[in-house]
């Protein structure tokens, strides 16, 4: 019997810090990663390794929940070690760490198809790693988010400080107090039975929610959408692939996506979506016409909007400051689409930290538009979708394996 089998029951006591291993061939980088992670009371770095071979040995000697895995290492690199780590301990959460090169961006996204849950883009040098507050925050938040999801699936209690509602990092959100108003839909009961008489005419627009807390659902627009806008963050790349896999044909409207990613990653994501869907998918380019049936992804480091120019709707990239700590951000994209498409805009918010997309969704619902959100159970982090859901802005709150089909139905004119 290996040491994991012996120690797991004791080590996995409810509420204990997440047990993490850091794997990187640079002693300096390992030191920085360990320090950043250990500074958070919810994380315990139990061991480190300088290559994949050592990591596999350490995995047999320690009870590890999550691994931060470098890609380029001697003896055994991260891509070779990844499937072996997953095979040795199914369910382990592996976050890839790689520098911001086109090659490593491609490898990182390929690693996620092989079983890694996420990636963290490392700055190029040890000095910049040490200086980057954004990298530090992203590293800690992603490790905690995925480890928490794993524990929840196993029915274990997560550390008390794991969720930080209202924090400056935007990792969580503050749930509003439950309301006792007419038309308030309980997550545990079919929505149609709870719609007030004033809303019964639009009851077909209201689907029951799978969130744990009661949330207010609202009727959506009865217009057939002319544009689909999607916002996502942590867990988004995998969610986007699954979301579009549910479409039975190419949509006959433009699709605009803001996924929180650095520049070198957004172009690779576009390629992956093009390959998986068979549709045209690309980073948005300033001045490009917005065409039906094509996917436009906000490029990392730029906000993507749409404006009218010469009688056409065209992409507009801006270098405005980050919003909600993000660049690209969902809110600027949503606001610009509301101005052009009005309530013929369909918005979808998938898994992600923070509340990006909340303000834009509020502008959309003020004019009667439709917002769909991923539910809590299927989200890696129910920050972005949770923010719009608990604010009462959604027409539907659905699991990931249902939201794609529901979106397609609305695009085809079904309500």
């Amino acid at each position: 019997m290996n040491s994991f089998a012996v120690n797991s029951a004791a080590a996995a006591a409810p509420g204990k810090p997440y047990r993490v291993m850091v794997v990187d061939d640079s002693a300096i980088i390992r030191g920085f990663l360990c320090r950043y992670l250990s500074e958070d009371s919810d994380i315990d770095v139990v061991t480190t390794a300088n290559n994949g071979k050592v990591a596999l040995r350490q995995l047999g000697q320690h009870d590890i929940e999550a691994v931060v895995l470098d890609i380029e290492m001697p003896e055994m690199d991260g891509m070779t070690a990844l499937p072996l780590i997953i095979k040795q301990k199914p369910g382990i959460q592996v976050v890839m760490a790689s520098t911001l090169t086109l090659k490593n961006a491609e490898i990182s996204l390929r690693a996620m198809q092989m079983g890694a849950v996420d990636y963290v883009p490392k700055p190029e040098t040890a000095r910049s790693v040490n200086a980057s507050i954004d990298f530090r925050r992203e590293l800690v938040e992603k490790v905690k988010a995925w480890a928490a999801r794993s524990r929840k699936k196993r029915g274990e209690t997560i550390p008390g400080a794991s969720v930080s509602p209202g924090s400056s990092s935007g990792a969580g959100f503050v749930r509003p107090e439950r309301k006792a108003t007419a038309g308030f839909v309980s997550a545990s009961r079919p929505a149609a039975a709870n719609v007030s008489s004033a809303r019964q005419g639009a009851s077909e627009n209201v689907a029951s929610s799978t969130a744990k807390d009661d949330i207010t659902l609202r009727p959506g627009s009865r217009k057939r959408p002319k544009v689909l806008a999607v916002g996502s963050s942590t867990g988004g790349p995998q969610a986007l692939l699954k979301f579009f896999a549910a479409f039975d044909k190419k949509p006959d409207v433009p699709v605009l996506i803001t996924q929180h990613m650095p520049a070198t990653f957004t172009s690779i994501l576009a390629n992956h979506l093009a390959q998986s869907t068979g549709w045209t998918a690309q980073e948005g380019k300033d001045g490009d016409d917005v065409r039906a049936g094509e996917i436009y992804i906000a490029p990392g480091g730029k906000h993507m909007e749409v404006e009218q120019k010469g009688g056409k709707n065209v992409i507009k990239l801006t270098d405005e400051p980050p919003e909600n700590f993000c660049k690209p951000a969902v809110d600027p994209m949503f606001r610009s689409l509301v101005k052009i498409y009005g309530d013929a805009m369909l918005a979808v918010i998938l898994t992600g930290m923070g509340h990006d997309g909340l303000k834009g969704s509020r502008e959309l619902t003020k004019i009667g538009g439709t917002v769909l959100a991923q539910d809590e159970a299927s989200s890696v982090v129910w920050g972005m979708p949770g923010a719009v859901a608990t604010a009462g802005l959604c027409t539907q709150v659905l699991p990931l394996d249902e939201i794609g089909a529901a979106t397609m139905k609305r695009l085809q004119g079904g309500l």
Side-chain angles (χ1 to χ4, degrees), residues 155-229:
E156 299 175 18
T157 304
I158 63 175
S162 289
V163 179
S164 50
S167 68
S168 60
S169 67
F173 66 95
V174 180
R175 290 182 184 274
E177 293 182 3
R178 296 193 181 193
K179 304 173 185 176
T181 59
F184 198 81
V185 183
S186 170
S188 60
R189 299 188 300 275
N194 294 278
V195 180
S196 66
S197 58
R199 298 174 61 191
Q200 286 177 357
S203 62
E204 65 269 27
N205 281 337
V206 183
S208 60
S209 164
T210 53
K212 292 180 180 178
D213 285 39
D214 288 347
I215 56 177
T216 302
L217 298 176
R218 61 189 303 141
S221 173
R222 299 194 65 83
K223 291 182 180 178
R224 185 173 179 178
K226 294 182 179 179
V227 66
L228 171 61

Side-chain angles (χ1 to χ4, degrees), residues 29-107:
I29 298 297
R30 279 201 314 275
F32 284 138
L33 299 182
C34 290
R35 190 179 83 198
Y36 300 155
L37 292 167
S38 298
E39 284 175 351
D40 192 290
S41 60
D42 289 344
I43 297 174
D44 179 17
V45 179
V46 297
T47 189
T48 65
N50 62 0
N51 62 57
K53 186 178 293 186
V54 175
L56 289 167
R57 188 165 63 244
Q58 295 287 64
L59 199 62
Q61 298 172 356
H62 300 273
D63 178 13
I64 308 296
E65 291 181 280
V67 177
V68 178
L69 182 63
D70 188 20
I71 289 178
E72 298 176 336
M73 297 179 291
E75 290 196 63
M76 183 183 289
D77 62 24
M79 291 299 283
T80 303
L82 174 61
L84 300 176
I85 290 172
I86 294 172
K87 182 179 179 180
Q88 185 168 329
K89 187 176 178 185
I92 196 167
Q93 308 297 293
V94 181
V95 177
M96 306 303 293
S98 65
T99 51
L100 284 169
T101 65
L102 190 61
K103 174 186 174 183
N104 283 342
E106 174 64 51
I107 291 173

Side-chain angles (χ1 to χ4, degrees), residues 13-28:
K16 293 292 182 69
Y18 303 118
R19 304 174 300 281
V20 178
M21 173 168 62
V22 172
V23 186
D24 196 295
D25 63 319
S26 166
I28 296 175

Side-chain angles (χ1 to χ4, degrees), residues 96-365:
M96 306 303 293
S98 65
T99 51
L100 284 169
T101 65
L102 190 61
K103 174 186 174 183
N104 283 342
E106 174 64 51
I107 291 173
S108 294
L109 292 182
R110 185 152 42 90
M112 290 163 64
Q113 294 176 324
M114 295 170 57
V117 294
D118 217 323
Y119 66 91
V120 179
K122 292 191 300 186
E124 294 287 343
T125 66
R127 176 177 294 181
S128 54
V129 166
N130 186 39
S132 176
I133 296 175
D134 289 340
F135 168 72
R136 187 181 313 194
R137 182 177 65 240
E138 185 173 4
L139 171 70
V140 172
E141 288 180 347
K142 286 189 173 181
V143 167
K144 289 170 63 176
W146 285 104
R149 180 169 173 79
S150 180
R151 280 205 190 173
K152 286 179 181 178
K153 283 185 175 181
R154 300 195 304 269
E156 299 175 18
T157 304
I158 63 175
S162 289
V163 179
S164 50
S167 68
S168 60
S169 67
F173 66 95
V174 180
R175 290 182 184 274
E177 293 182 3
R178 296 193 181 193
K179 304 173 185 176
T181 59
F184 198 81
V185 183
S186 170
S188 60
R189 299 188 300 275
N194 294 278
V195 180
S196 66
S197 58
R199 298 174 61 191
Q200 286 177 357
S203 62
E204 65 269 27
N205 281 337
V206 183
S208 60
S209 164
T210 53
K212 292 180 180 178
D213 285 39
D214 288 347
I215 56 177
T216 302
L217 298 176
R218 61 189 303 141
S221 173
R222 299 194 65 83
K223 291 182 180 178
R224 185 173 179 178
K226 294 182 179 179
V227 66
L228 171 61
V230 184
S232 54
S233 186
T234 307
Q238 303 100 311
L240 286 165
L241 291 171
K242 192 167 185 179
F243 173 74
F244 287 113
F247 283 47
D248 54 14
K249 65 177 182 178
K250 181 169 68 174
D252 58 0
V253 301
V255 179
L256 290 93
I257 300 171
T258 291
Q259 158 71 39
H260 298 159
M261 276 182 150
T264 48
F265 282 76
T266 48
S267 62
I268 301 300
L269 176 62
N271 291 337
H272 281 235
L273 287 175
Q275 292 170 10
S276 65
T277 62
W279 312 334
T280 299
Q282 60 194 333
E283 283 186 316
K285 296 180 179 61
D286 198 63
D288 276 1
D289 290 348
V290 175
R291 293 178 289 271
E294 298 190 6
I295 299 174
Y296 302 89
I297 298 177
K302 299 284 185 180
H303 296 305
M304 183 175 73
E305 302 176 3
V306 173
E307 64 178 354
Q308 291 185 323
K309 183 178 289 186
K312 295 182 177 180
N313 296 332
V314 300
I315 298 291
K316 176 185 177 183
L317 300 182
T318 78
D319 201 26
E320 295 297 312
E323 289 194 34
N324 311 309
F325 305 95
C326 304
K327 191 176 180 181
V330 178
D331 277 329
M333 181 179 76
F334 276 17
R335 288 195 301 266
S336 71
L337 294 174
V338 169
K339 291 178 181 178
I340 293 175
Y341 295 96
D343 62 352
M345 168 187 167
L346 174 59
V348 176
I349 303 288
L350 300 177
T351 176
M353 293 180 185
H355 56 266
D356 191 23
L358 174 60
K359 293 179 180 178
S361 295
R362 186 169 281 124
E363 292 300 311
L364 176 59
T365 56

